[in-house]
Amino acid sequence: MTFSTLMQLASGLRTSIYIFVLTLLFAFPLGLLVALIRMSRNCLLRNAMRLYISVMRGTPLMLQLLIVYFGPYYLFGLSLKNYPAFLAVIIAFVLNYAAYFAEIYRGGIASIPIGQYEAATVLGYTKGQTFFKIILPQVIKRILPPITNEVITLVKDTSLAQVIAVLEMFTIAKQIANQQASMMPLIAAGVFYYVFNFVVAFTMERIEQKLNYYQ
Amino acid sequence: MAVLSITNLHKRFGDLEVLNGINLEVNEGEVIAIIGPSGSGKSTLLRCATLLESMDRGTMTYAGVKVVEEDAQSNSVYLPQNKLRQVKALFGLVFQNFNLFPHYNVLKNIIDAPICVQKRNKDEVIKEARALLAKMGLEDKEDAYPFQLSGGQQQRVSIARALINNPKILFFDEPTSALDPELTGEILKVIRNLAAENMTMVIVTHEIEFARNVADRIIFMAEGVIVEQGPPDEVICNPTLARTKAFLTNLAER
């Protein structure tokens, strides 16, 4: 395996990292918003979010990618010329991961004892202060383990971007493997994914330790 | 002057009439103990007084501030939210389960609300918080987190938290029920000291002996009404009503 093969894989890895970072950047806040609407008193909104989560979790991410990318053309006859596949990947990934994160947030929020809200109310905190100062920090600590699971899955899911021809690492590894009739590029890609996830798991563990200053 | 005045308080949960016309006047410096069987509405009364539950009918006045008034149909009408927030500085509530914020250390548990909600001067609040911690015998614990403290210490922190805004009245909702018997004493001592300083207090409790010793007035509640009230010696030693007698006899036979 040549140096140039590795460089090509590295450039694919860069795309994978972009997908990873951008997805987390948008899916974390969107997931929280979805969770809050999912828990709201408005029955219509609540059920709309329930449906959204159900569809996102109940269908393959690969299918969602195809629909987000080709949907505008097939459904509305819009041109794909100014619609980069990379953008479609980010939209599909964010929508999908926000649904999973929303359910994790919801479980975390529901696990906070009612007494925390009552103490905050009696002390005069507003609803916003209560949520962001008192509740959310405790929620984050509690949901870190399941969030780590999802984040690690996301690293591997970035390889799905190939179905709409985004040149992330896996796409490139497959191409080179075909050209060279060798398995080495695929194995190298596997090592890259593993190292990527090793770093992710290590980082998440450090964050968990940081939050261990209280129980 | 009355610190707290509640008239004709009605509260129902669905079909269940939990409070059925409560009138309560708490005078400055007075210590009131509320006793009664579970389900009698004691806690709900406290929760209505501390704005955790909204009353259906009736009025409530805190130190001259009309917090809840009745409209023409005698439904309760509350002050707007921003005004209610100011009213909350007039009272403190100590919970059965402490409800300290686990991610804040002891000092921050006490000072965060006065600084963020009441917008008080930070240095001044910290000074007062340290004085309160010293009074609670916790001067060396300000950096500790709640999980590092015993139940009794946590409850003393929560009392300090309730006192930080110099409230006109302090409520206790079964403050020793979550504590080991040997830790109960330290909390009762703190309450006794507060009583000696003329702190106005309303205490829901099952500790009859303690109620008898510390309270100026005992209120006995059952089925959502105040059945009997008066000085401890009258209500506890010479109850006039059968319902009160039955409750006290049951307790004595424990």
Side-chain angles (χ1 to χ4, degrees), chain B residues 67-81:
Chain B
V67 179
V68 188
E69 296 191 88
E70 280 187 333
D71 65 10
Q73 288 80 43
S74 75
N75 291 315
S76 291
V77 182
Y78 280 76
L79 282 176
Q81 273 297 328

Side-chain angles (χ1 to χ4, degrees), chain B residues 131-168:
Chain B
L132 280 171
L133 282 174
K135 204 163 125 184
M136 298 293 153
L138 296 168
E139 51 273 87
D140 53 340
K141 296 290 185 196
E142 68 171 63
D143 294 323
Y145 284 86
F147 80 96
Q148 297 166 316
L149 304 176
S150 73
Q153 289 171 328
Q154 290 189 51
Q155 191 61 302
R156 279 183 278 155
V157 173
S158 88
I159 294 172
R161 181 173 72 174
L163 284 169
I164 188 69
N165 282 325
N166 301 308
K168 298 227 173 286

Side-chain angles (χ1 to χ4, degrees), chain B residues 202-214:
Chain B
V202 176
I203 308 162
V204 169
T205 185
H206 291 300
E207 303 276 342
I208 297 295
E209 258 318 291
F210 168 71
R212 199 166 73 111
N213 286 329
V214 78

